[in-house]
Amino acid sequence: MDIFAVLSLLDATIRLTTPLLLACLAGLYCERSGVFNIGLEGKMLAGAFGAAVVAALTGSAWLGMLAGVGVGVAFALIHGIASITLKGNQIISGVAINFLAAGLTTLLGQSWFRQGGRTPALPQGGRFAPIELPFASELAGIPILGPIYSELVSGHYILVYIAFLMVPLTFFVLYRTRFGLRLRAVGENPKAVDTAGISVTLLRYQAVLIAGVLCGLAGAYLSIAQGSGFGNNMTAGKGFIALAALIFAKWRPVPAMFACLLFGFLDAMQIRLQGVDLPVIGQVPVQAIQALPYVLTVVLLAGFIGKAVGPRAGGVPYTKER
Amino acid sequence: MSARRPLPRWADVALLPALNLLLALVISALVLMIIGRNPLEALDTMIFGAFGYGEGVGYTLHFATNFVFTGLAVAVAAHAGLFNIGAEGQAYIAGLGAIVVALWLDNIGIPFGWLLVMPLAMIAAAAVGGLWAFIPGYLQAKRGSHVVITTIMFNFIASAIMVYMLNRVLKPVTTMAPESATLRGAGKVPQLREFFDYFGYAPVNMTILVAIAALVAVYILIWHTKLGYAMRTLGLNPSAAVYAGMSNSRLIMIAMGISGALASMIAINEVLAVQNRLVLDYVAGYGFVGIAVALMGRNHPIGIALAALLFGALYQGGQELSIMMGINREMIVVIQALVILFTGAMEGLFRPSLETAFMMLGPRQKTEAIARSTAQPES
């Protein structure tokens, strides 16, 4: 393997990691506030659809992204109403959201565009273009560092940079701001937060809606940056991989990035390993690599490699004492 | 706020779900109007499709059979305080057990061979699917990982295993599609249409008898056995179960095992009876619908039977929608999602207003309610 093969593998890793990372951080905000979110998949899918429809109709990727975020937030609001206001079961709400997104996107897509659920091809400007960072081509000649900069760091879609910048931002928000402190507290001990005179409901809504925004961005990335248009069920389980990554990272932002990078790398490897004979082990079935994130998460949760314990108040609706 | 009295039982069991269901249907009607269809015409088509003629009824019963199994699977776990979200994967992987036994004994060549093969295939399916639920149960009981997350992960692992098995192991060399060899003899479960012409070409089959037996068996298990009592104790109050000398970890594993075994019966209903071979994704979301069925049925076999019929009718009616009115089959998924949302997650939507309404019924009840709530404040 020469350096360019390695770089292209890493480049693919970054591209495949981005939607996972955005969805994973979405789950992080939500679950850190004590609201389980297995509806990441559905919110992402709905966001992808919204973004593709608006981008196709207006020809503006930015408006598309905004629409994706709007749809993501709308679905997050459903989750918020069900699990915060009505104190319903957060898991069931997530299941419903996943189904609703899968059904509605195909149904509306088919009845609006009649292309088997796909949205029309994006017009000029409807899709994000890769961003060349300054001096990318000039520096490409420098050995090792040059190609790394020009191939790996430069030349991605804006949402890739947003996703990776969200990691330090989330770290800062979570551990260095008052909002973050309260967010972490409300996921561990909502009663204490309530006793301090802070609204549990408001905090949890904020967290759930932030998750909606991030899922919308993840969806927009899939349909109008990485892909060109929406296809049926295009998230294909990424929301659940993101959930697995979140647990793998023990609900912390920086490890979340590494977990997503690991799962993105596995995804990139899986395409390259098809039909390749490896020394000693021979051919690795694609399915084994596909199942690896889930297996790793189960093993981690079971405490065989470290221990993952979620926010203590997770999944429990908060009822003020009367 | 605090002066509310709890709803009478009939309102809690029937009225509230009915209102939630109605709201789900109203919103489904709005969705239909958005895509420019007449919701009343659609409702008419769906009801006729589900109940209007023999074949439709046969399909409705066939789908309802699946939903009885997954509904019971979720309910049994729920009685023990566990949320089995993995019925989908358990039913899927159970197909391996069912097909291996059925293919092995397919050419047995004795009269009524299916009477031997079907029970054996059921045991094999239940063993595989039960194991697929038992492991998450074990991991929760002994290693403290949450059964919800583990079963979600197990759904995906099952899916990967099945793709591998169908492509690499079970596929005969002569076929191109990822599917097992086809059953031709005793491995097939007989269709009811072989006995009643009424059902036309509908796939309703002998498995429906298993479903009815399962409903009765779960009723007896939960309310008339020591094990059921222990499971309900665990579900209501785990520490009480410990003080009563029950082994919580043992109960968790048993409950999950039974739950997975129940879900596994879908493999008989779909693989042995209808497809006659193992195919990809034959579970098609039935496992997740089981959550809604159990919820609407209030985890009680009678409720589950009714809810399963409702969802069966919804599925078959939805097929009729796509054939007669050209509405995409995904409409079923939308209705299903709305039913899960309103009868499940937003179950409490009408409760406060209903409680107020019932409290207004009589002043006597009102004083009673106030007395009760002051003596015993709601938590």
mmCIF file with all atom_site columns, all heavy atoms in Angstrom, chain A residues 88 99-100 106 110-111 240 247 287 294 301-302 307, chain B residues 35 143 145 149 156 160 163 288 330 336-337 345:
data_model
loop_
_atom_site.group_PDB
_atom_site.id
_atom_site.type_symbol
_atom_site.label_atom_id
_atom_site.label_alt_id
_atom_site.label_comp_id
_atom_site.label_asym_id
_atom_site.label_entity_id
_atom_site.label_seq_id
_atom_site.pdbx_PDB_ins_code
_atom_site.Cartn_x
_atom_site.Cartn_y
_atom_site.Cartn_z
_atom_site.occupancy
_atom_site.B_iso_or_equiv
_atom_site.pdbx_formal_charge
_atom_site.auth_seq_id
_atom_site.auth_comp_id
_atom_site.auth_asym_id
_atom_site.auth_atom_id
_atom_site.pdbx_PDB_model_num
ATOM 1   N N   . GLY A 1 88  ? -44.168 10.181  28.215 1.00 0.00 ? 88  GLY A N   1
ATOM 2   C CA  . GLY A 1 88  ? -44.363 8.879   27.573 1.00 0.00 ? 88  GLY A CA  1
ATOM 3   C C   . GLY A 1 88  ? -43.074 8.081   27.567 1.00 0.00 ? 88  GLY A C   1
ATOM 4   O O   . GLY A 1 88  ? -42.037 8.527   28.063 1.00 0.00 ? 88  GLY A O   1
ATOM 5   N N   . PHE A 1 99  ? -40.199 4.799   12.297 1.00 0.00 ? 99  PHE A N   1
ATOM 6   C CA  . PHE A 1 99  ? -41.194 4.312   11.339 1.00 0.00 ? 99  PHE A CA  1
ATOM 7   C C   . PHE A 1 99  ? -41.802 5.471   10.553 1.00 0.00 ? 99  PHE A C   1
ATOM 8   O O   . PHE A 1 99  ? -41.981 5.394   9.335  1.00 0.00 ? 99  PHE A O   1
ATOM 9   C CB  . PHE A 1 99  ? -42.323 3.587   12.082 1.00 0.00 ? 99  PHE A CB  1
ATOM 10  C CG  . PHE A 1 99  ? -42.092 2.116   12.205 1.00 0.00 ? 99  PHE A CG  1
ATOM 11  C CD1 . PHE A 1 99  ? -42.061 1.506   13.439 1.00 0.00 ? 99  PHE A CD1 1
ATOM 12  C CD2 . PHE A 1 99  ? -41.922 1.341   11.078 1.00 0.00 ? 99  PHE A CD2 1
ATOM 13  C CE1 . PHE A 1 99  ? -41.852 0.147   13.562 1.00 0.00 ? 99  PHE A CE1 1
ATOM 14  C CE2 . PHE A 1 99  ? -41.714 -0.027  11.190 1.00 0.00 ? 99  PHE A CE2 1
ATOM 15  C CZ  . PHE A 1 99  ? -41.683 -0.620  12.445 1.00 0.00 ? 99  PHE A CZ  1
ATOM 16  N N   . LEU A 1 100 ? -42.139 6.542   11.284 1.00 0.00 ? 100 LEU A N   1
ATOM 17  C CA  . LEU A 1 100 ? -42.806 7.676   10.651 1.00 0.00 ? 100 LEU A CA  1
ATOM 18  C C   . LEU A 1 100 ? -41.921 8.260   9.555  1.00 0.00 ? 100 LEU A C   1
ATOM 19  O O   . LEU A 1 100 ? -42.379 8.545   8.443  1.00 0.00 ? 100 LEU A O   1
ATOM 20  C CB  . LEU A 1 100 ? -43.119 8.740   11.712 1.00 0.00 ? 100 LEU A CB  1
ATOM 21  C CG  . LEU A 1 100 ? -44.091 9.837   11.303 1.00 0.00 ? 100 LEU A CG  1
ATOM 22  C CD1 . LEU A 1 100 ? -45.437 9.230   10.950 1.00 0.00 ? 100 LEU A CD1 1
ATOM 23  C CD2 . LEU A 1 100 ? -44.266 10.846  12.420 1.00 0.00 ? 100 LEU A CD2 1
ATOM 24  N N   . THR A 1 106 ? -40.807 8.029   1.941  1.00 0.00 ? 106 THR A N   1
ATOM 25  C CA  . THR A 1 106 ? -41.085 7.285   0.709  1.00 0.00 ? 106 THR A CA  1
ATOM 26  C C   . THR A 1 106 ? -42.437 7.672   0.122  1.00 0.00 ? 106 THR A C   1
ATOM 27  O O   . THR A 1 106 ? -42.572 7.878   -1.090 1.00 0.00 ? 106 THR A O   1
ATOM 28  C CB  . THR A 1 106 ? -41.060 5.771   0.980  1.00 0.00 ? 106 THR A CB  1
ATOM 29  O OG1 . THR A 1 106 ? -39.885 5.468   1.709  1.00 0.00 ? 106 THR A OG1 1
ATOM 30  C CG2 . THR A 1 106 ? -41.081 4.978   -0.297 1.00 0.00 ? 106 THR A CG2 1
ATOM 31  N N   . GLN A 1 110 ? -42.688 9.586   -3.363 1.00 0.00 ? 110 GLN A N   1
ATOM 32  C CA  . GLN A 1 110 ? -43.316 8.920   -4.495 1.00 0.00 ? 110 GLN A CA  1
ATOM 33  C C   . GLN A 1 110 ? -44.488 9.745   -5.033 1.00 0.00 ? 110 GLN A C   1
ATOM 34  O O   . GLN A 1 110 ? -44.656 9.885   -6.246 1.00 0.00 ? 110 GLN A O   1
ATOM 35  C CB  . GLN A 1 110 ? -43.774 7.521   -4.053 1.00 0.00 ? 110 GLN A CB  1
ATOM 36  C CG  . GLN A 1 110 ? -44.641 6.770   -5.043 1.00 0.00 ? 110 GLN A CG  1
ATOM 37  C CD  . GLN A 1 110 ? -43.905 6.473   -6.345 1.00 0.00 ? 110 GLN A CD  1
ATOM 38  O OE1 . GLN A 1 110 ? -42.690 6.600   -6.428 1.00 0.00 ? 110 GLN A OE1 1
ATOM 39  N NE2 . GLN A 1 110 ? -44.664 6.116   -7.366 1.00 0.00 ? 110 GLN A NE2 1
ATOM 40  N N   . SER A 1 111 ? -45.289 10.325  -4.129 1.00 0.00 ? 111 SER A N   1
ATOM 41  C CA  . SER A 1 111 ? -46.471 11.020  -4.645 1.00 0.00 ? 111 SER A CA  1
ATOM 42  C C   . SER A 1 111 ? -46.112 12.397  -5.204 1.00 0.00 ? 111 SER A C   1
ATOM 43  O O   . SER A 1 111 ? -46.819 12.938  -6.034 1.00 0.00 ? 111 SER A O   1
ATOM 44  C CB  . SER A 1 111 ? -47.545 11.116  -3.571 1.00 0.00 ? 111 SER A CB  1
ATOM 45  O OG  . SER A 1 111 ? -47.171 12.036  -2.588 1.00 0.00 ? 111 SER A OG  1
ATOM 46  N N   . PHE A 1 240 ? -28.253 3.995   14.067 1.00 0.00 ? 240 PHE A N   1
ATOM 47  C CA  . PHE A 1 240 ? -28.015 3.020   15.129 1.00 0.00 ? 240 PHE A CA  1
ATOM 48  C C   . PHE A 1 240 ? -26.524 2.811   15.348 1.00 0.00 ? 240 PHE A C   1
ATOM 49  O O   . PHE A 1 240 ? -26.079 2.571   16.461 1.00 0.00 ? 240 PHE A O   1
ATOM 50  C CB  . PHE A 1 240 ? -28.715 1.698   14.808 1.00 0.00 ? 240 PHE A CB  1
ATOM 51  C CG  . PHE A 1 240 ? -30.209 1.809   14.918 1.00 0.00 ? 240 PHE A CG  1
ATOM 52  C CD1 . PHE A 1 240 ? -30.994 1.945   13.801 1.00 0.00 ? 240 PHE A CD1 1
ATOM 53  C CD2 . PHE A 1 240 ? -30.810 1.828   16.161 1.00 0.00 ? 240 PHE A CD2 1
ATOM 54  C CE1 . PHE A 1 240 ? -32.363 2.070   13.910 1.00 0.00 ? 240 PHE A CE1 1
ATOM 55  C CE2 . PHE A 1 240 ? -32.181 1.955   16.286 1.00 0.00 ? 240 PHE A CE2 1
ATOM 56  C CZ  . PHE A 1 240 ? -32.965 2.073   15.157 1.00 0.00 ? 240 PHE A CZ  1
ATOM 57  N N   . ILE A 1 247 ? -22.483 4.958   22.866 1.00 0.00 ? 247 ILE A N   1
ATOM 58  C CA  . ILE A 1 247 ? -22.287 4.091   24.029 1.00 0.00 ? 247 ILE A CA  1
ATOM 59  C C   . ILE A 1 247 ? -20.813 3.728   24.139 1.00 0.00 ? 247 ILE A C   1
ATOM 60  O O   . ILE A 1 247 ? -20.221 3.739   25.210 1.00 0.00 ? 247 ILE A O   1
ATOM 61  C CB  . ILE A 1 247 ? -23.136 2.821   23.893 1.00 0.00 ? 247 ILE A CB  1
ATOM 62  C CG1 . ILE A 1 247 ? -24.610 3.203   23.855 1.00 0.00 ? 247 ILE A CG1 1
ATOM 63  C CG2 . ILE A 1 247 ? -22.856 1.863   25.033 1.00 0.00 ? 247 ILE A CG2 1
ATOM 64  C CD1 . ILE A 1 247 ? -25.494 2.108   23.339 1.00 0.00 ? 247 ILE A CD1 1
ATOM 65  N N   . GLN A 1 287 ? -20.117 -9.215  6.010  1.00 0.00 ? 287 GLN A N   1
ATOM 66  C CA  . GLN A 1 287 ? -21.092 -9.097  7.096  1.00 0.00 ? 287 GLN A CA  1
ATOM 67  C C   . GLN A 1 287 ? -20.414 -9.042  8.458  1.00 0.00 ? 287 GLN A C   1
ATOM 68  O O   . GLN A 1 287 ? -20.915 -8.381  9.375  1.00 0.00 ? 287 GLN A O   1
ATOM 69  C CB  . GLN A 1 287 ? -22.063 -10.283 7.055  1.00 0.00 ? 287 GLN A CB  1
ATOM 70  C CG  . GLN A 1 287 ? -23.008 -10.273 5.883  1.00 0.00 ? 287 GLN A CG  1
ATOM 71  C CD  . GLN A 1 287 ? -22.354 -10.799 4.607  1.00 0.00 ? 287 GLN A CD  1
ATOM 72  O OE1 . GLN A 1 287 ? -21.355 -11.491 4.656  1.00 0.00 ? 287 GLN A OE1 1
ATOM 73  N NE2 . GLN A 1 287 ? -22.912 -10.446 3.464  1.00 0.00 ? 287 GLN A NE2 1
ATOM 74  N N   . TYR A 1 294 ? -21.677 -3.281  16.200 1.00 0.00 ? 294 TYR A N   1
ATOM 75  C CA  . TYR A 1 294 ? -22.703 -3.731  17.139 1.00 0.00 ? 294 TYR A CA  1
ATOM 76  C C   . TYR A 1 294 ? -22.126 -4.731  18.135 1.00 0.00 ? 294 TYR A C   1
ATOM 77  O O   . TYR A 1 294 ? -22.420 -4.674  19.334 1.00 0.00 ? 294 TYR A O   1
ATOM 78  C CB  . TYR A 1 294 ? -23.872 -4.359  16.372 1.00 0.00 ? 294 TYR A CB  1
ATOM 79  C CG  . TYR A 1 294 ? -24.426 -3.454  15.292 1.00 0.00 ? 294 TYR A CG  1
ATOM 80  C CD1 . TYR A 1 294 ? -24.324 -3.790  13.950 1.00 0.00 ? 294 TYR A CD1 1
ATOM 81  C CD2 . TYR A 1 294 ? -25.032 -2.249  15.631 1.00 0.00 ? 294 TYR A CD2 1
ATOM 82  C CE1 . TYR A 1 294 ? -24.820 -2.961  12.967 1.00 0.00 ? 294 TYR A CE1 1
ATOM 83  C CE2 . TYR A 1 294 ? -25.530 -1.412  14.655 1.00 0.00 ? 294 TYR A CE2 1
ATOM 84  C CZ  . TYR A 1 294 ? -25.423 -1.777  13.317 1.00 0.00 ? 294 TYR A CZ  1
ATOM 85  O OH  . TYR A 1 294 ? -25.907 -0.943  12.355 1.00 0.00 ? 294 TYR A OH  1
ATOM 86  N N   . LEU A 1 301 ? -20.641 -2.981  26.584 1.00 0.00 ? 301 LEU A N   1
ATOM 87  C CA  . LEU A 1 301 ? -21.742 -2.805  27.538 1.00 0.00 ? 301 LEU A CA  1
ATOM 88  C C   . LEU A 1 301 ? -21.726 -3.902  28.590 1.00 0.00 ? 301 LEU A C   1
ATOM 89  O O   . LEU A 1 301 ? -22.091 -3.689  29.736 1.00 0.00 ? 301 LEU A O   1
ATOM 90  C CB  . LEU A 1 301 ? -23.080 -2.852  26.803 1.00 0.00 ? 301 LEU A CB  1
ATOM 91  C CG  . LEU A 1 301 ? -23.614 -1.520  26.308 1.00 0.00 ? 301 LEU A CG  1
ATOM 92  C CD1 . LEU A 1 301 ? -24.841 -1.737  25.469 1.00 0.00 ? 301 LEU A CD1 1
ATOM 93  C CD2 . LEU A 1 301 ? -23.921 -0.606  27.474 1.00 0.00 ? 301 LEU A CD2 1
ATOM 94  N N   . ALA A 1 302 ? -21.314 -5.084  28.161 1.00 0.00 ? 302 ALA A N   1
ATOM 95  C CA  . ALA A 1 302 ? -21.314 -6.201  29.096 1.00 0.00 ? 302 ALA A CA  1
ATOM 96  C C   . ALA A 1 302 ? -20.140 -6.113  30.056 1.00 0.00 ? 302 ALA A C   1
ATOM 97  O O   . ALA A 1 302 ? -19.993 -6.951  30.929 1.00 0.00 ? 302 ALA A O   1
ATOM 98  C CB  . ALA A 1 302 ? -21.272 -7.515  28.326 1.00 0.00 ? 302 ALA A CB  1
ATOM 99  N N   . LYS A 1 307 ? -16.244 -0.374  30.968 1.00 0.00 ? 307 LYS A N   1
ATOM 100 C CA  . LYS A 1 307 ? -17.631 -0.420  31.420 1.00 0.00 ? 307 LYS A CA  1
ATOM 101 C C   . LYS A 1 307 ? -18.319 0.853   30.930 1.00 0.00 ? 307 LYS A C   1
ATOM 102 O O   . LYS A 1 307 ? -17.794 1.941   31.092 1.00 0.00 ? 307 LYS A O   1
ATOM 103 C CB  . LYS A 1 307 ? -17.648 -0.477  32.954 1.00 0.00 ? 307 LYS A CB  1
ATOM 104 C CG  . LYS A 1 307 ? -19.030 -0.690  33.540 1.00 0.00 ? 307 LYS A CG  1
ATOM 105 C CD  . LYS A 1 307 ? -19.324 -2.173  33.712 1.00 0.00 ? 307 LYS A CD  1
ATOM 106 C CE  . LYS A 1 307 ? -20.801 -2.398  33.970 1.00 0.00 ? 307 LYS A CE  1
ATOM 107 N NZ  . LYS A 1 307 ? -21.379 -3.389  33.098 1.00 0.00 ? 307 LYS A NZ  1
ATOM 108 N N   . ILE B 2 35  ? -51.437 14.087  0.133  1.00 0.00 ? 35  ILE B N   1
ATOM 109 C CA  . ILE B 2 35  ? -51.021 13.512  -1.146 1.00 0.00 ? 35  ILE B CA  1
ATOM 110 C C   . ILE B 2 35  ? -52.193 13.440  -2.124 1.00 0.00 ? 35  ILE B C   1
ATOM 111 O O   . ILE B 2 35  ? -52.128 12.764  -3.151 1.00 0.00 ? 35  ILE B O   1
ATOM 112 C CB  . ILE B 2 35  ? -50.330 12.134  -0.985 1.00 0.00 ? 35  ILE B CB  1
ATOM 113 C CG1 . ILE B 2 35  ? -51.293 11.120  -0.363 1.00 0.00 ? 35  ILE B CG1 1
ATOM 114 C CG2 . ILE B 2 35  ? -49.071 12.235  -0.164 1.00 0.00 ? 35  ILE B CG2 1
ATOM 115 C CD1 . ILE B 2 35  ? -50.764 9.696   -0.439 1.00 0.00 ? 35  ILE B CD1 1
ATOM 116 N N   . ARG B 2 143 ? -24.398 -9.107  33.785 1.00 0.00 ? 143 ARG B N   1
ATOM 117 C CA  . ARG B 2 143 ? -23.336 -8.145  33.468 1.00 0.00 ? 143 ARG B CA  1
ATOM 118 C C   . ARG B 2 143 ? -23.838 -6.714  33.511 1.00 0.00 ? 143 ARG B C   1
ATOM 119 O O   . ARG B 2 143 ? -23.079 -5.781  33.243 1.00 0.00 ? 143 ARG B O   1
ATOM 120 C CB  . ARG B 2 143 ? -22.735 -8.417  32.083 1.00 0.00 ? 143 ARG B CB  1
ATOM 121 C CG  . ARG B 2 143 ? -22.363 -9.849  31.807 1.00 0.00 ? 143 ARG B CG  1
ATOM 122 C CD  . ARG B 2 143 ? -21.108 -10.293 32.481 1.00 0.00 ? 143 ARG B CD  1
ATOM 123 N NE  . ARG B 2 143 ? -20.017 -9.333  32.428 1.00 0.00 ? 143 ARG B NE  1
ATOM 124 C CZ  . ARG B 2 143 ? -18.799 -9.580  32.849 1.00 0.00 ? 143 ARG B CZ  1
ATOM 125 N NH1 . ARG B 2 143 ? -18.504 -10.772 33.327 1.00 0.00 ? 143 ARG B NH1 1
ATOM 126 N NH2 . ARG B 2 143 ? -17.870 -8.658  32.803 1.00 0.00 ? 143 ARG B NH2 1
ATOM 127 N N   . SER B 2 145 ? -25.732 -4.918  31.491 1.00 0.00 ? 145 SER B N   1
ATOM 128 C CA  . SER B 2 145 ? -25.962 -4.071  30.310 1.00 0.00 ? 145 SER B CA  1
ATOM 129 C C   . SER B 2 145 ? -27.456 -4.056  29.996 1.00 0.00 ? 145 SER B C   1
ATOM 130 O O   . SER B 2 145 ? -28.141 -5.051  30.150 1.00 0.00 ? 145 SER B O   1
ATOM 131 C CB  . SER B 2 145 ? -25.162 -4.565  29.120 1.00 0.00 ? 145 SER B CB  1
ATOM 132 O OG  . SER B 2 145 ? -25.349 -5.934  28.917 1.00 0.00 ? 145 SER B OG  1
ATOM 133 N N   . ILE B 2 149 ? -30.759 -1.712  24.747 1.00 0.00 ? 149 ILE B N   1
ATOM 134 C CA  . ILE B 2 149 ? -29.645 -1.447  23.828 1.00 0.00 ? 149 ILE B CA  1
ATOM 135 C C   . ILE B 2 149 ? -29.120 -2.754  23.245 1.00 0.00 ? 149 ILE B C   1
ATOM 136 O O   . ILE B 2 149 ? -28.899 -2.879  22.038 1.00 0.00 ? 149 ILE B O   1
ATOM 137 C CB  . ILE B 2 149 ? -28.498 -0.725  24.570 1.00 0.00 ? 149 ILE B CB  1
ATOM 138 C CG1 . ILE B 2 149 ? -28.993 0.570   25.203 1.00 0.00 ? 149 ILE B CG1 1
ATOM 139 C CG2 . ILE B 2 149 ? -27.343 -0.447  23.643 1.00 0.00 ? 149 ILE B CG2 1
ATOM 140 C CD1 . ILE B 2 149 ? -29.238 1.683   24.262 1.00 0.00 ? 149 ILE B CD1 1
ATOM 141 N N   . PHE B 2 156 ? -29.288 -6.060  14.602 1.00 0.00 ? 156 PHE B N   1
ATOM 142 C CA  . PHE B 2 156 ? -28.373 -5.822  13.485 1.00 0.00 ? 156 PHE B CA  1
ATOM 143 C C   . PHE B 2 156 ? -27.408 -6.992  13.306 1.00 0.00 ? 156 PHE B C   1
ATOM 144 O O   . PHE B 2 156 ? -27.070 -7.362  12.179 1.00 0.00 ? 156 PHE B O   1
ATOM 145 C CB  . PHE B 2 156 ? -27.600 -4.516  13.703 1.00 0.00 ? 156 PHE B CB  1
ATOM 146 C CG  . PHE B 2 156 ? -28.448 -3.312  13.463 1.00 0.00 ? 156 PHE B CG  1
ATOM 147 C CD1 . PHE B 2 156 ? -29.083 -2.676  14.503 1.00 0.00 ? 156 PHE B CD1 1
ATOM 148 C CD2 . PHE B 2 156 ? -28.652 -2.829  12.182 1.00 0.00 ? 156 PHE B CD2 1
ATOM 149 C CE1 . PHE B 2 156 ? -29.894 -1.580  14.279 1.00 0.00 ? 156 PHE B CE1 1
ATOM 150 C CE2 . PHE B 2 156 ? -29.450 -1.738  11.955 1.00 0.00 ? 156 PHE B CE2 1
ATOM 151 C CZ  . PHE B 2 156 ? -30.072 -1.108  13.006 1.00 0.00 ? 156 PHE B CZ  1
ATOM 152 N N   . ALA B 2 160 ? -26.927 -9.347  9.933  1.00 0.00 ? 160 ALA B N   1
ATOM 153 C CA  . ALA B 2 160 ? -25.656 -9.654  9.262  1.00 0.00 ? 160 ALA B CA  1
ATOM 154 C C   . ALA B 2 160 ? -25.453 -11.163 9.147  1.00 0.00 ? 160 ALA B C   1
ATOM 155 O O   . ALA B 2 160 ? -25.038 -11.675 8.101  1.00 0.00 ? 160 ALA B O   1
ATOM 156 C CB  . ALA B 2 160 ? -24.499 -9.004  10.022 1.00 0.00 ? 160 ALA B CB  1
ATOM 157 N N   . VAL B 2 163 ? -27.685 -12.624 6.362  1.00 0.00 ? 163 VAL B N   1
ATOM 158 C CA  . VAL B 2 163 ? -27.192 -12.353 5.011  1.00 0.00 ? 163 VAL B CA  1
ATOM 159 C C   . VAL B 2 163 ? -26.045 -13.306 4.682  1.00 0.00 ? 163 VAL B C   1
ATOM 160 O O   . VAL B 2 163 ? -25.987 -13.904 3.604  1.00 0.00 ? 163 VAL B O   1
ATOM 161 C CB  . VAL B 2 163 ? -26.721 -10.879 4.878  1.00 0.00 ? 163 VAL B CB  1
ATOM 162 C CG1 . VAL B 2 163 ? -26.062 -10.647 3.534  1.00 0.00 ? 163 VAL B CG1 1
ATOM 163 C CG2 . VAL B 2 163 ? -27.896 -9.941  5.057  1.00 0.00 ? 163 VAL B CG2 1
ATOM 164 N N   . PHE B 2 288 ? -41.256 -5.082  15.395 1.00 0.00 ? 288 PHE B N   1
ATOM 165 C CA  . PHE B 2 288 ? -41.462 -3.744  15.949 1.00 0.00 ? 288 PHE B CA  1
ATOM 166 C C   . PHE B 2 288 ? -42.940 -3.460  16.153 1.00 0.00 ? 288 PHE B C   1
ATOM 167 O O   . PHE B 2 288 ? -43.328 -2.800  17.120 1.00 0.00 ? 288 PHE B O   1
ATOM 168 C CB  . PHE B 2 288 ? -40.832 -2.691  15.048 1.00 0.00 ? 288 PHE B CB  1
ATOM 169 C CG  . PHE B 2 288 ? -39.340 -2.736  15.050 1.00 0.00 ? 288 PHE B CG  1
ATOM 170 C CD1 . PHE B 2 288 ? -38.637 -3.106  13.923 1.00 0.00 ? 288 PHE B CD1 1
ATOM 171 C CD2 . PHE B 2 288 ? -38.637 -2.445  16.200 1.00 0.00 ? 288 PHE B CD2 1
ATOM 172 C CE1 . PHE B 2 288 ? -37.259 -3.175  13.940 1.00 0.00 ? 288 PHE B CE1 1
ATOM 173 C CE2 . PHE B 2 288 ? -37.260 -2.504  16.234 1.00 0.00 ? 288 PHE B CE2 1
ATOM 174 C CZ  . PHE B 2 288 ? -36.568 -2.871  15.094 1.00 0.00 ? 288 PHE B CZ  1
ATOM 175 N N   . GLU B 2 330 ? -46.171 2.180   1.546  1.00 0.00 ? 330 GLU B N   1
ATOM 176 C CA  . GLU B 2 330 ? -45.568 2.839   2.708  1.00 0.00 ? 330 GLU B CA  1
ATOM 177 C C   . GLU B 2 330 ? -46.611 3.539   3.567  1.00 0.00 ? 330 GLU B C   1
ATOM 178 O O   . GLU B 2 330 ? -46.356 3.901   4.701  1.00 0.00 ? 330 GLU B O   1
ATOM 179 C CB  . GLU B 2 330 ? -44.518 3.862   2.260  1.00 0.00 ? 330 GLU B CB  1
ATOM 180 C CG  . GLU B 2 330 ? -43.335 3.259   1.571  1.00 0.00 ? 330 GLU B CG  1
ATOM 181 C CD  . GLU B 2 330 ? -42.486 2.412   2.509  1.00 0.00 ? 330 GLU B CD  1
ATOM 182 O OE1 . GLU B 2 330 ? -42.173 2.872   3.605  1.00 0.00 ? 330 GLU B OE1 1
ATOM 183 O OE2 . GLU B 2 330 ? -42.169 1.273   2.128  1.00 0.00 ? 330 GLU B OE2 1
ATOM 184 N N   . GLN B 2 336 ? -49.061 2.875   10.815 1.00 0.00 ? 336 GLN B N   1
ATOM 185 C CA  . GLN B 2 336 ? -48.481 2.106   11.899 1.00 0.00 ? 336 GLN B CA  1
ATOM 186 C C   . GLN B 2 336 ? -47.665 2.999   12.839 1.00 0.00 ? 336 GLN B C   1
ATOM 187 O O   . GLN B 2 336 ? -47.801 2.922   14.058 1.00 0.00 ? 336 GLN B O   1
ATOM 188 C CB  . GLN B 2 336 ? -47.572 1.109   11.220 1.00 0.00 ? 336 GLN B CB  1
ATOM 189 C CG  . GLN B 2 336 ? -46.996 0.027   12.009 1.00 0.00 ? 336 GLN B CG  1
ATOM 190 C CD  . GLN B 2 336 ? -46.118 -0.774  11.051 1.00 0.00 ? 336 GLN B CD  1
ATOM 191 O OE1 . GLN B 2 336 ? -46.620 -1.355  10.095 1.00 0.00 ? 336 GLN B OE1 1
ATOM 192 N NE2 . GLN B 2 336 ? -44.834 -0.773  11.275 1.00 0.00 ? 336 GLN B NE2 1
ATOM 193 N N   . ALA B 2 337 ? -46.846 3.869   12.254 1.00 0.00 ? 337 ALA B N   1
ATOM 194 C CA  . ALA B 2 337 ? -46.026 4.761   13.067 1.00 0.00 ? 337 ALA B CA  1
ATOM 195 C C   . ALA B 2 337 ? -46.909 5.674   13.909 1.00 0.00 ? 337 ALA B C   1
ATOM 196 O O   . ALA B 2 337 ? -46.651 5.899   15.091 1.00 0.00 ? 337 ALA B O   1
ATOM 197 C CB  . ALA B 2 337 ? -45.124 5.605   12.166 1.00 0.00 ? 337 ALA B CB  1
ATOM 198 N N   . ALA B 2 345 ? -46.298 6.149   22.731 1.00 0.00 ? 345 ALA B N   1
ATOM 199 C CA  . ALA B 2 345 ? -45.497 7.198   23.350 1.00 0.00 ? 345 ALA B CA  1
ATOM 200 C C   . ALA B 2 345 ? -46.352 8.350   23.869 1.00 0.00 ? 345 ALA B C   1
ATOM 201 O O   . ALA B 2 345 ? -46.039 8.957   24.886 1.00 0.00 ? 345 ALA B O   1
ATOM 202 C CB  . ALA B 2 345 ? -44.470 7.707   22.350 1.00 0.00 ? 345 ALA B CB  1
#
